[in-house]
Amino acid sequence: MRVSLEPSYVLHARPFQESSLLIEALSRSHGRVGLVARGARGVRSRWKGVLQPFRPLLLSWSQKGELGTLTAADQVASPPPLAGESLFCGLYANELTTRFLQRSDPHPGLFERYRQLVAELAVGDPAQPALRIYELQLLQAAGFGLQLEHEFGTSDPVREDAWYRYVPESGPKLRKYEEDRAGELISGAALLGLKSGQIEDRHLKELKALMRRLIRFYLGDKPLKSQSLFH
Amino acid sequence: MSSEPLLEQLIDSLRCLPGVGPKSAQRMALHLLERDRDGGKTLSAVLAESMERIGRCRECRNLTEDETCSICANEQRDRDQLCIVESPSDVIAIEHATGFRGRYFVLMGRLSPLDGIGPEELGLEQLAEQLGQRPPQEMIIATNPTVEGEATAFYLQRMAQKHGISVSRIAHGVPLGGELEFTDQSTIAHAFSSRLAI
């Protein structure tokens, strides 16, 4: 299979054999792909400085087995590089994507979302809402979609003024007893905000806690390394 | 290939060197056995001893056979400047190319969550301890200009600021003797935005 000029982002590059790189990339129509960039670590490599994360690229490759061989990498534009806290957020998104997405499982919608996230991070906008929406779409792409509109069990619509406890794999359950731990509660308004993609600042904290709990639930006992950057 | 087990073992072992495939390993082994037995013996003795005795400097984590490396043990070196690099080869490069008289801290890597490398793996707790006990006046961050190197630089910058240490980052730009036409876009963009008044 030959793929030509496919919009992609490098998620990660690691040394491979003598002078090559093994690239994990997120592409628009082929999902996450593993590509070998032959000679990319050589002194005179034409890809020097190009195969870096967070840069919109047009990648071309040929693929027979699980890994493809990179044949060309063109830089589309030169956006401002991510800096500071945004860079950590970007590395977090990349780790999350690599952990949740299987290779060769295309999700063009998720790719668009990733592109928007990187663009927002590059200009240093408040990245938290964009990160939450990306996390939501990534979970959906991985087959762990969230139920945000209907209550678990009763299928009643989620109400803005009610409080819920989100049960992983099931959905929001209306808060019944006072003994519910406050940290795990989430407001209906926050759930609906996440659903519509219009996240208000006052809901950021509870949504972050919710997504963190769900991500930990699905990743099991191997936590994300990038979270240690934020201390 | 040969049916001599020891010879095969030697050839296989030589392949652990970077850039050495089966062919070169065979050539090296035969060269040592046929033409340079003394050199081979010296190599094996030095190699064995080095693997045993060379460890990490307890101050800067650079490779050394003593408790502290020659740079850290040298009282003439300026304690007010601390240069942070990713690897021992970076120390050698800076020592050769510049007149830097300060000290180093060698991370032995860079922050790279996808490779499982976080602050602990880079000995940053040890660095924080040093910054607390004997803070230098300036921290010079000389990590590579890659995404991971920049993330490491930002993490270090925050550490230094906590201790009130001024931070600088080595400049990146057009290489000397190079031409703009053949320099990649990002390097030119970076060189342009961080231009110096002269």
Side-chain angles (χ1 to χ4, degrees), chain A:
Chain A
M1 180 177 66
R2 278 186 173 278
V3 179
S4 150
L5 301 172
E6 171 71 22
S8 312
Y9 282 91
V10 169
L11 295 174
H12 185 59
R14 68 172 61 104
F16 182 71
Q17 293 176 344
E18 279 318 317
S19 61
S20 304
L21 282 176
L22 177 55
I23 309 273
E24 284 300 332
L26 182 67
S27 68
R28 191 168 63 191
S29 345
H30 299 269
R32 187 187 139 203
V33 284
L35 302 172
V36 177
R38 298 227 178 273
R41 275 152 66 221
V43 186
R44 302 200 179 280
S45 168
R46 63 208 146 124
W47 291 325
K48 197 137 238 161
V50 175
L51 295 172
Q52 287 281 320
F54 316 123
R55 293 215 189 130
L57 300 173
L58 293 174
L59 298 184
S60 307
W61 68 89
S62 61
Q63 190 160 12
K64 277 188 197 138
E66 160 133 32
L67 291 180
T69 304
L70 190 71
T71 50
D74 299 297
Q75 208 163 333
V76 186
S78 204
L82 303 197
E85 197 85 30
S86 296
L87 188 50
F88 289 175
C89 292
L91 288 173
Y92 165 77
N94 283 2
E95 189 182 12
L96 205 63
T97 310
T98 318
R99 290 288 292 277
F100 274 107
L101 271 198
Q102 299 296 317
R103 278 193 182 142
S104 307
D105 180 14
H107 295 281
L110 186 71
F111 179 84
E112 279 313 313
R113 188 46 75 182
Y114 182 86
R115 186 209 293 276
Q116 282 175 25
L117 175 67
V118 172
E120 279 193 33
L121 288 172
V123 292
D125 267 4
Q128 293 297 324
L131 266 176
R132 296 296 88 79
I133 294 167
Y134 183 71
E135 287 167 342
L136 177 73
Q137 289 214 353
L138 182 61
L139 285 176
Q140 252 159 25
F144 306 127
L146 265 62
Q147 174 54 266
L148 299 171
E149 283 170 301
H150 298 285
E151 227 179 87
F152 169 60
T154 63
S155 297
D156 289 345
V158 165
R159 295 200 324 265
E160 271 206 25
D161 55 349
W163 285 86
Y164 298 87
R165 196 161 60 81
Y166 197 94
V167 187
E169 302 273 75
S170 306
K173 261 174 116 169
L174 198 62
R175 174 199 187 187
K176 279 190 188 141
Y177 306 107
E178 287 307 317
E179 63 257 39
D180 272 347
R181 274 188 293 154
E184 291 189 0
L185 286 180
I186 181 136
S187 65
L191 290 174
L192 293 172
L194 182 61
K195 172 78 194 167
S196 66
Q198 306 291 321
I199 300 178
E200 291 177 40
D201 284 352
R202 63 197 168 104
H203 295 142
L204 281 176
K205 215 173 153 193
E206 42 186 320
L207 285 174
K208 186 174 185 174
L210 171 73
M211 295 313 278
R212 207 168 242 227
R213 205 156 55 81
L214 288 170
I215 286 165
R216 206 172 296 151
F217 175 83
Y218 288 117
L219 286 181
D221 52 3
K222 201 169 161 241
L224 290 166
K225 196 79 196 173
S226 43
Q227 278 171 350
S228 65
L229 298 178
F230 291 97
H231 294 314

Side-chain angles (χ1 to χ4, degrees), chain B residues 45 48 78 128 140:
Chain B
D78 190 354
I140 302 164

Side-chain angles (χ1 to χ4, degrees), chain B residues 10 41 61 75 78 85 104 110 129 137 154 156 161:
Chain B
L10 174 61
K41 279 181 189 160
R61 288 173 38 104
E75 285 301 322
D78 190 354
V85 294
Y104 296 91
R110 57 217 169 337
E129 214 172 275
Q137 282 185 359
F154 180 65
L156 289 166
Q161 278 164 352

